[in-house]
Amino acid sequence: MQFVRYLQCVHCGGIYLPDVVDYYCPKCGYQHGILDVIYDYDAVEAHLNPQSLAADPVRTMWRYLPLLPVANPELIPHLQVGWTPLYNTPKLAEWLGVEQCWVKDEGRNPTASFKDRASAVGVVKALEKGATRITCASTGNAASSLAGFSSAAGLPASIFVPRRAPEAKVAQLLVFGAQVFSVGGTYDQAWELCMLASAEFGWYNRNCAINPYLIEGKKTVSLELAEQFYELTPGKFPDWVVVSVGDGCTIGGVWKGLKEMHRLGFIPRLPKVLGVQAEGCQPFLTAWLNHQPLQPCDADTLADSIAVGHPRNFHKGMQAVVESGGAFVAVPDEAILEAMTTLARKAAVFGEPAGVTGAAGVKAAVQSGIIDPAESVAIIVTGNGLKDIASAIKAAGAPTLIEPDLEAVRKAL
Amino acid sequence: MQFVRYLQCVHCGGIYLPDVVDYYCPKCGYQHGILDVIYDYDAVEAHLNPQSLAADPVRTMWRYLPLLPVANPELIPHLQVGWTPLYNTPKLAEWLGVEQCWVKDEGRNPTASFKDRASAVGVVKALEKGATRITCASTGNAASSLAGFSSAAGLPASIFVPRRAPEAKVAQLLVFGAQVFSVGGTYDQAWELCMLASAEFGWYNRNCAINPYLIEGKKTVSLELAEQFYELTPGKFPDWVVVSVGDGCTIGGVWKGLKEMHRLGFIPRLPKVLGVQAEGCQPFLTAWLNHQPLQPCDADTLADSIAVGHPRNFHKGMQAVVESGGAFVAVPDEAILEAMTTLARKAAVFGEPAGVTGAAGVKAAVQSGIIDPAESVAIIVTGNGLKDIASAIKAAGAPTLIEPDLEAVRKAL
C-alpha cells in the first residue's frame, strides 16, 4: 500500500482510507458504490519506469508492485502468476483482416486463466486483514483460481458456483481443497448468496465487482502489455486492445492498466478498447448502443465465463469503452467456436470459449467497419481451452477411428 | 548443430554424422540402435556458462541453444516453451517425509505438458529436413504437444493415439488442426503403426524413442533445474531428481541434462534419479529389480501417459537410474490419486495422474528406506491436471449441491 492514496467511489466521488472501508462505498451500497484505488503516481513513477523494470529480474505480475495495493509483500504466495507470452500472429491477422494482430495468452497462468492475477491480490489482502476464510462466486475461472491461490496461501476457501459451471473447472476447485457450493440457480443467484454468506460468516469477499483490490490484479495484464510492446516496438502500441466482457471487471482492469502505463510514459497514445460479448448475453452492448442504463438480461451462451446477465461492474466496464473511444460488439456462439479452432490453427493458442471471444469480436468489428483494416489489435485470450473440453469437441470434430493396420491409414488419407 | 560432433549408437557404439542418419543406428535397428547426440562440450562451455546465462534475456528453453541440435534457429516457432516455475514446497516435504521438496511445474508449458520441450525441437528438425508432414504416436501429451507445435510451425501433422487416450488430449489435437488417427488398440500398436506410416508416406517421425533429437528437448528441464538451483542455492543441488517413467525417454533426457550441467559446473554433485512407475505397468522396475532385460507387459493404470508396457527407450531409461545410483519404485493408482489432491493442496500445483506419480513415488521410496528423511528431492510434475478431468474428479469428490438460500449454506457447514 506504499503508494495508495485513497479509495474513491465511482458513483458519488466519496473518498475513503483503506483502513476504514473494505469493499464498497457505504453511502452508495454495493450496487453502485464501487471503489477505485487511487495511487500517488508521481511517487510511483520514481519506482516504476523503463530503467527500474529493465533491471528487475522478477518475471511475474509482482514486478509492478509499486502499482499494487499490497502492504506486506511477504504474504505473496509462491505461485508464479503473470508475465504471460505475447505473440505476433500474422496468419491470424490475415484471417481477421487487420494489419497486425497480437495475442496475449493468459491461459498460461497457474490455474490456466487470467483470473489468477486477481486471486493473487485477493488472498494477500485477505491475509493482511487477518481473515481465516475467503469466498467468492464465480462462473468458474475466478473460482478455480481462488482455489489454487488459497491453497498456495494456506487460507481456506468457500466457493459458490452456478450449477452450469463446466465440470473441469469444478474439479479444479475440489482438487485444490476448496469447499464448493454448487448452487441450483444462475450465476447471479450464486453471487447474491455469496454476498450474504460473506456478511453472515465473516468470510473475506473476493468478488471482483465489490472488492476494489481485485481489479488491481487484473490491470497487470495491461501493465505487461505496455511493457512488452515498449520493449518490442518502442514508441508504438496497437490501435485496439480487445477482451471479452462478462461482469465488466476485466475490461475495467484492462483500461485502468492502460491509462496508468500511459501516465508513466510506456504507451505513446491510448488505444481504443473493444469489449466483446456473446449474442446470447449482451447487456453492455445493449446499454451502449441505446445510451441506456444497465438492463439485466438472461444469459444464453456456451461461453460460460461471460454468461453474466447482471454485470456487477457495469460502471467500470462501460467507462473502458466510452473513455477510450472504443466499442462493444457481440458474436454468436458459432463464431466463438470458429474462433476456437482458428486461434489454435493460426496462432497455436488453444483458448476456452470466453477466451477466444475477443478474436471473434475483432472479425465482427472489421466486417462492420468498427475496426479499420489498416489498424492493429492486441487480443487478450483469457483462459485455456482445456477448461472446457466439451466446447472444444464441438468446435473440432472427432478423430478418424481406424484399426491398427497400414491399409486403414492409406484408406483414410 | 553448431556444437554437435556426431550421433553415437547406445548399443554398438557406432558413430554417425547427422547428415547421414536421421533416426536410429542402421546396423542395430530401431529396437536397440538408439542414437545419442554428442556435443563438443569444451566449445559449448565458452557459450553456456553462468555469466552468459545471467546476461541472456531469453526466458525459454532456447536459452540453452548451444546444447541443442538446431542448425537454423530462425525456424524456431513462436510458442514460448520451458523456463517453468520451480517451487520450494515445505508442506509437501513434510507430508512426504523429506528434508526439502521442490516441484517443477511442467504443466505451465504451451500445451500444458513437459512434452512441449521435445515437440519444439521436433518441428524444427522436421523443417530443417524439408519435411512436409510430421507424425508421432502418443498416449496423449506428445500428441497434443506435437499438434500445437506443428500448428505454430505451419507443418501438417498426422498423429496416432490409442483408443484409451483421454478425451481432453484428443480434443486438443483436433482443435490444433492435426489429422488424428484413433487406433483401435494399445499404445504399442499405435506406435508400430506410426512407424510403418512414417516409412511408407515419408512423414518426419517425431517418436522420441527412435528420433535422437527429441530427448535433447526433454533434457532442457534439467538444464533449467540446474540453473535455477544455481541461482537459488549456489553450490547445492537436491539429492534426488524424481520423474515418472513410461517409454524411458523422459527420464533419459532428465539424466542427460543433469550430466551436462554437472560437466559445465552448474551442479556440484550429480543427484540420484528416482524413476516412478505405476504398479499396473512397471517393466522398468521389474527389469531393474531382477537384473533382467526388458520384458514387455500389459498396461493397467489410470496414469495414461505412463501406461507403456513396451518402453521404446529402455536403454536410456535404465541408464539414468543405474548410472546415478538411483532407484525405480512403483505405486498403485490409489496413491497416484492421493498425490493429485495432495500436490494441489500442499503445493498448489494441479498435475495429471502421470504428472503427480513422481510425488507418490517419493512417499513410497521414503517408506521403503530408499530415500532418507534427511535428503532433499526435486519432483518434475510432467503435465497439467486439466488434461485428465475424469481422474481429478475421482480424486477430489463432488461439490456440495445447495439451493440458492443462506439456510442451505448454514446447514452444509
PDB file of all heavy atoms in Angstrom, chain A residues 168-184:
ATOM      1  N   ALA A 168     -14.792 -29.394 -15.570  1.00  0.00           N
ATOM      2  CA  ALA A 168     -13.336 -29.257 -15.424  1.00  0.00           C
ATOM      3  C   ALA A 168     -12.990 -28.185 -14.404  1.00  0.00           C
ATOM      4  O   ALA A 168     -12.091 -28.350 -13.580  1.00  0.00           O
ATOM      5  CB  ALA A 168     -12.703 -28.924 -16.766  1.00  0.00           C
ATOM      6  N   LYS A 169     -13.724 -27.106 -14.463  1.00  0.00           N
ATOM      7  CA  LYS A 169     -13.427 -26.008 -13.541  1.00  0.00           C
ATOM      8  C   LYS A 169     -13.799 -26.397 -12.110  1.00  0.00           C
ATOM      9  O   LYS A 169     -13.080 -26.089 -11.164  1.00  0.00           O
ATOM     10  CB  LYS A 169     -14.173 -24.747 -13.972  1.00  0.00           C
ATOM     11  CG  LYS A 169     -13.683 -24.217 -15.317  1.00  0.00           C
ATOM     12  CD  LYS A 169     -14.432 -22.967 -15.747  1.00  0.00           C
ATOM     13  CE  LYS A 169     -13.955 -22.511 -17.127  1.00  0.00           C
ATOM     14  NZ  LYS A 169     -14.696 -21.360 -17.618  1.00  0.00           N
ATOM     15  N   VAL A 170     -14.921 -27.076 -11.970  1.00  0.00           N
ATOM     16  CA  VAL A 170     -15.341 -27.504 -10.634  1.00  0.00           C
ATOM     17  C   VAL A 170     -14.359 -28.532 -10.070  1.00  0.00           C
ATOM     18  O   VAL A 170     -13.992 -28.486  -8.893  1.00  0.00           O
ATOM     19  CB  VAL A 170     -16.780 -28.069 -10.677  1.00  0.00           C
ATOM     20  CG1 VAL A 170     -17.178 -28.599  -9.316  1.00  0.00           C
ATOM     21  CG2 VAL A 170     -17.752 -26.987 -11.130  1.00  0.00           C
ATOM     22  N   ALA A 171     -13.904 -29.428 -10.926  1.00  0.00           N
ATOM     23  CA  ALA A 171     -12.920 -30.416 -10.479  1.00  0.00           C
ATOM     24  C   ALA A 171     -11.665 -29.721  -9.953  1.00  0.00           C
ATOM     25  O   ALA A 171     -11.092 -30.124  -8.935  1.00  0.00           O
ATOM     26  CB  ALA A 171     -12.556 -31.356 -11.625  1.00  0.00           C
ATOM     27  N   GLN A 172     -11.261 -28.670 -10.634  1.00  0.00           N
ATOM     28  CA  GLN A 172     -10.085 -27.918 -10.178  1.00  0.00           C
ATOM     29  C   GLN A 172     -10.271 -27.412  -8.747  1.00  0.00           C
ATOM     30  O   GLN A 172      -9.384 -27.548  -7.908  1.00  0.00           O
ATOM     31  CB  GLN A 172      -9.876 -26.715 -11.100  1.00  0.00           C
ATOM     32  CG  GLN A 172      -8.707 -26.827 -12.046  1.00  0.00           C
ATOM     33  CD  GLN A 172      -8.474 -25.517 -12.777  1.00  0.00           C
ATOM     34  OE1 GLN A 172      -9.399 -24.872 -13.241  1.00  0.00           O
ATOM     35  NE2 GLN A 172      -7.231 -25.133 -12.901  1.00  0.00           N
ATOM     36  N   LEU A 173     -11.433 -26.850  -8.477  1.00  0.00           N
ATOM     37  CA  LEU A 173     -11.702 -26.321  -7.121  1.00  0.00           C
ATOM     38  C   LEU A 173     -11.551 -27.404  -6.080  1.00  0.00           C
ATOM     39  O   LEU A 173     -10.957 -27.223  -5.022  1.00  0.00           O
ATOM     40  CB  LEU A 173     -13.135 -25.821  -6.979  1.00  0.00           C
ATOM     41  CG  LEU A 173     -13.755 -24.958  -8.037  1.00  0.00           C
ATOM     42  CD1 LEU A 173     -15.094 -24.476  -7.527  1.00  0.00           C
ATOM     43  CD2 LEU A 173     -12.849 -23.827  -8.337  1.00  0.00           C
ATOM     44  N   LEU A 174     -12.164 -28.534  -6.392  1.00  0.00           N
ATOM     45  CA  LEU A 174     -12.203 -29.620  -5.420  1.00  0.00           C
ATOM     46  C   LEU A 174     -10.811 -30.192  -5.199  1.00  0.00           C
ATOM     47  O   LEU A 174     -10.418 -30.497  -4.066  1.00  0.00           O
ATOM     48  CB  LEU A 174     -13.167 -30.704  -5.904  1.00  0.00           C
ATOM     49  CG  LEU A 174     -14.632 -30.267  -5.948  1.00  0.00           C
ATOM     50  CD1 LEU A 174     -15.445 -31.222  -6.810  1.00  0.00           C
ATOM     51  CD2 LEU A 174     -15.213 -30.197  -4.546  1.00  0.00           C
ATOM     52  N   VAL A 175     -10.069 -30.333  -6.255  1.00  0.00           N
ATOM     53  CA  VAL A 175      -8.710 -30.868  -6.117  1.00  0.00           C
ATOM     54  C   VAL A 175      -7.878 -29.959  -5.209  1.00  0.00           C
ATOM     55  O   VAL A 175      -7.107 -30.434  -4.374  1.00  0.00           O
ATOM     56  CB  VAL A 175      -8.042 -31.041  -7.500  1.00  0.00           C
ATOM     57  CG1 VAL A 175      -6.559 -31.297  -7.356  1.00  0.00           C
ATOM     58  CG2 VAL A 175      -8.702 -32.193  -8.255  1.00  0.00           C
ATOM     59  N   PHE A 176      -8.059 -28.668  -5.359  1.00  0.00           N
ATOM     60  CA  PHE A 176      -7.282 -27.725  -4.543  1.00  0.00           C
ATOM     61  C   PHE A 176      -7.767 -27.686  -3.091  1.00  0.00           C
ATOM     62  O   PHE A 176      -7.175 -27.006  -2.260  1.00  0.00           O
ATOM     63  CB  PHE A 176      -7.345 -26.318  -5.131  1.00  0.00           C
ATOM     64  CG  PHE A 176      -6.442 -26.104  -6.313  1.00  0.00           C
ATOM     65  CD1 PHE A 176      -6.935 -25.687  -7.534  1.00  0.00           C
ATOM     66  CD2 PHE A 176      -5.066 -26.305  -6.197  1.00  0.00           C
ATOM     67  CE1 PHE A 176      -6.104 -25.480  -8.617  1.00  0.00           C
ATOM     68  CE2 PHE A 176      -4.217 -26.096  -7.276  1.00  0.00           C
ATOM     69  CZ  PHE A 176      -4.745 -25.688  -8.495  1.00  0.00           C
ATOM     70  N   GLY A 177      -8.868 -28.380  -2.811  1.00  0.00           N
ATOM     71  CA  GLY A 177      -9.313 -28.485  -1.424  1.00  0.00           C
ATOM     72  C   GLY A 177     -10.281 -27.419  -0.975  1.00  0.00           C
ATOM     73  O   GLY A 177     -10.550 -27.282   0.225  1.00  0.00           O
ATOM     74  N   ALA A 178     -10.852 -26.678  -1.913  1.00  0.00           N
ATOM     75  CA  ALA A 178     -11.848 -25.670  -1.516  1.00  0.00           C
ATOM     76  C   ALA A 178     -13.165 -26.347  -1.151  1.00  0.00           C
ATOM     77  O   ALA A 178     -13.483 -27.429  -1.633  1.00  0.00           O
ATOM     78  CB  ALA A 178     -12.074 -24.686  -2.661  1.00  0.00           C
ATOM     79  N   GLN A 179     -13.920 -25.685  -0.275  1.00  0.00           N
ATOM     80  CA  GLN A 179     -15.305 -26.094  -0.027  1.00  0.00           C
ATOM     81  C   GLN A 179     -16.148 -25.510  -1.163  1.00  0.00           C
ATOM     82  O   GLN A 179     -16.154 -24.294  -1.361  1.00  0.00           O
ATOM     83  CB  GLN A 179     -15.754 -25.528   1.312  1.00  0.00           C
ATOM     84  CG  GLN A 179     -17.208 -25.813   1.646  1.00  0.00           C
ATOM     85  CD  GLN A 179     -17.585 -25.195   2.978  1.00  0.00           C
ATOM     86  OE1 GLN A 179     -17.315 -24.034   3.246  1.00  0.00           O
ATOM     87  NE2 GLN A 179     -18.223 -25.989   3.819  1.00  0.00           N
ATOM     88  N   VAL A 180     -16.828 -26.366  -1.905  1.00  0.00           N
ATOM     89  CA  VAL A 180     -17.520 -25.908  -3.102  1.00  0.00           C
ATOM     90  C   VAL A 180     -19.028 -26.067  -2.957  1.00  0.00           C
ATOM     91  O   VAL A 180     -19.519 -27.173  -2.732  1.00  0.00           O
ATOM     92  CB  VAL A 180     -17.053 -26.694  -4.346  1.00  0.00           C
ATOM     93  CG1 VAL A 180     -17.763 -26.165  -5.590  1.00  0.00           C
ATOM     94  CG2 VAL A 180     -15.555 -26.583  -4.502  1.00  0.00           C
ATOM     95  N   PHE A 181     -19.750 -24.964  -3.090  1.00  0.00           N
ATOM     96  CA  PHE A 181     -21.203 -24.988  -3.114  1.00  0.00           C
ATOM     97  C   PHE A 181     -21.671 -24.844  -4.559  1.00  0.00           C
ATOM     98  O   PHE A 181     -21.452 -23.800  -5.175  1.00  0.00           O
ATOM     99  CB  PHE A 181     -21.787 -23.844  -2.282  1.00  0.00           C
ATOM    100  CG  PHE A 181     -21.519 -23.974  -0.810  1.00  0.00           C
ATOM    101  CD1 PHE A 181     -20.687 -23.076  -0.146  1.00  0.00           C
ATOM    102  CD2 PHE A 181     -22.096 -25.010  -0.078  1.00  0.00           C
ATOM    103  CE1 PHE A 181     -20.440 -23.189   1.211  1.00  0.00           C
ATOM    104  CE2 PHE A 181     -21.850 -25.130   1.288  1.00  0.00           C
ATOM    105  CZ  PHE A 181     -21.023 -24.228   1.934  1.00  0.00           C
ATOM    106  N   SER A 182     -22.278 -25.899  -5.075  1.00  0.00           N
ATOM    107  CA  SER A 182     -22.857 -25.836  -6.414  1.00  0.00           C
ATOM    108  C   SER A 182     -24.306 -25.402  -6.255  1.00  0.00           C
ATOM    109  O   SER A 182     -25.154 -26.152  -5.768  1.00  0.00           O
ATOM    110  CB  SER A 182     -22.757 -27.206  -7.076  1.00  0.00           C
ATOM    111  OG  SER A 182     -23.441 -27.193  -8.307  1.00  0.00           O
ATOM    112  N   VAL A 183     -24.575 -24.166  -6.659  1.00  0.00           N
ATOM    113  CA  VAL A 183     -25.868 -23.552  -6.374  1.00  0.00           C
ATOM    114  C   VAL A 183     -26.868 -23.847  -7.494  1.00  0.00           C
ATOM    115  O   VAL A 183     -26.574 -23.590  -8.670  1.00  0.00           O
ATOM    116  CB  VAL A 183     -25.706 -22.022  -6.210  1.00  0.00           C
ATOM    117  CG1 VAL A 183     -27.059 -21.368  -5.941  1.00  0.00           C
ATOM    118  CG2 VAL A 183     -24.721 -21.708  -5.095  1.00  0.00           C
ATOM    119  N   GLY A 184     -28.013 -24.384  -7.111  1.00  0.00           N
ATOM    120  CA  GLY A 184     -29.057 -24.674  -8.083  1.00  0.00           C
ATOM    121  C   GLY A 184     -29.699 -23.387  -8.553  1.00  0.00           C
ATOM    122  O   GLY A 184     -30.795 -23.021  -8.114  1.00  0.00           O
TER     123      GLY A 184
END
